[in-house]
Amino acid sequence: MASDIASTPLIDAAGQAHMPAGADARIVSLVPSITELLCDLDLAPQLIGRTGFCIHPHHIVRTVTKVGGTKAVKLDTLRALAPSHVIVNVDENEKPTIEQIARFVPHIVVTHPCEPADNLALYRLLGGIFGRQRQAEALCGALSARLASLHAQNFPPRRVLYLIWKDPWMTVAPGTYIAGMLREIGWQTLPAAPAARYPAFSLDAPWLRDVDLVLLSSEPYRFQASHAEALRGEPVLAGKPVHLIDGEMVSWYGSRAIAGLDYLQAFARRIAADQSGTP
């Protein structure tokens, strides 16, 4: 299975590349952020299936058939839709499930953006496959402008603990898309060299003493203010700022990355102002 969006992400069961699809494409997306991207590429009329986690844009996706979750795909429902293309992601979807789908769906589009700039290739990939090059280039222009704006600024470096789960506590590795987004504002995720992409850890881990800032994501675990207050009471995190952060804005690639970079820029400025005492 292809894992690089710049290689050959459009494959069938035999692993053979295909020509771009026409207006007859019947698309199922198993990736929430890509479902949103398809709609922003004006492909909503060809979107026939989605997961229950594909919730944006609500006024469009509420009428699209659900095919289960990103991990627990209802294969019979998917098969009945007779899609020509199913879009998956290396992190979101499980390889054995994708292999089963490839037995009855002609084209599997595999995506794996790891940095915000990878969205440029993602826009062009889907725009090229489904004949939406103009819309894709408009998104590329908007994203490139956001990246250029961020790169022209000097954000104070911070070592960040970005929490995505509780019981056990879990965070993100530097090679993940979330970590790539945070690097755009000069923030480095810890631990620096974990063994897993989404490592579990305990609150007595020695490296936690090096953390400058703790971020509690709104997804996949929905952290609340009570969790932030509890963590402030942990000895190893005493005195360290703990903030809630919008997980969709940080972890959703695709078209959401454009608004996500704006969000992160404003978030970083607010954190800096809070710590400096600036009103």
Side-chain angles (χ1 to χ4, degrees):
M1 181 173 63
S3 62
D4 183 349
I5 63 173
S7 58
T8 311
L10 180 57
I11 62 172
D12 65 5
Q16 297 174 334
H18 286 264
M19 296 299 290
D24 295 333
R26 296 171 54 81
I27 308 168
V28 170
S29 170
L30 301 183
V31 190
S33 56
I34 290 183
T35 299
E36 181 179 48
L37 171 58
L38 291 170
C39 293
D40 287 336
L41 289 170
D42 296 335
L43 286 164
Q46 292 171 252
L47 182 64
I48 62 167
R50 51 136 180 151
T51 75
F53 299 106
C54 299
I55 58 175
H56 298 300
H58 175 70
H59 69 286
I60 293 176
V61 300
R62 64 185 177 85
T63 64
V64 177
T65 301
K66 295 179 185 178
V67 295
T70 54
K71 302 286 191 293
V73 180
K74 296 179 180 178
L75 296 180
D76 289 344
T77 303
L78 178 59
R79 188 193 303 269
L81 291 173
S84 61
H85 296 74
V86 172
I87 305 178
V88 301
N89 175 265
V90 169
D91 280 337
E92 294 268 6
N93 310 117
E94 296 180 340
K95 186 176 180 180
T97 301
I98 296 171
E99 290 173 340
Q100 291 182 68
I101 294 171
R103 294 172 186 163
F104 60 87
V105 174
H107 310 302
I108 309 296
V109 184
V110 183
T111 65
H112 188 39
C114 295
E115 298 281 349
D118 290 346
N119 286 296
L120 298 170
L122 179 61
Y123 301 159
R124 289 174 175 136
L125 168 70
L126 297 180
I129 293 171
F130 299 113
R132 295 295 189 274
Q133 290 89 343
R134 177 181 57 81
Q135 294 90 332
E137 288 308 314
L139 291 176
C140 286
L143 180 67
S144 296
R146 300 308 196 282
L147 289 170
S149 175
L150 286 177
H151 296 167
Q153 300 179 54
N154 184 24
F155 294 96
R158 301 186 192 278
R159 294 165 297 183
V160 174
L161 172 63
Y162 187 99
L163 290 176
I164 60 170
W165 201 257
K166 182 179 181 293
D167 299 327
W169 297 105
M170 294 181 70
T171 183
V172 298
T176 59
Y177 181 83
I178 292 170
M181 284 285 284
L182 294 173
R183 278 193 295 273
E184 295 294 336
I185 55 171
W187 293 2
Q188 173 194 350
T189 54
L190 293 181
R197 283 177 62 77
Y198 300 98
F201 66 94
S202 61
L203 290 178
D204 59 358
W207 55 265
L208 287 171
R209 290 191 290 268
D210 298 327
V211 169
D212 299 319
L213 178 67
V214 180
L215 302 176
L216 305 185
S217 179
S218 61
E219 65 165 42
Y221 189 95
R222 185 166 291 279
F223 284 104
Q224 308 285 343
S226 59
H227 298 112
E229 189 60 32
L231 280 173
R232 292 187 186 103
E234 291 290 336
V236 72
L237 298 176
K240 300 181 186 296
V242 182
H243 294 271
L244 300 177
I245 192 167
D246 187 330
E248 289 183 1
M249 287 297 190
V250 182
S251 66
W252 282 39
Y253 34 86
S255 45
R256 180 61 62 100
I258 297 168
L261 291 171
D262 286 340
Y263 170 84
L264 273 181
Q265 178 174 249
F267 189 87
R269 288 175 174 170
R270 179 167 64 83
I271 296 299
D274 288 347
Q275 294 191 343
S276 68
T278 302

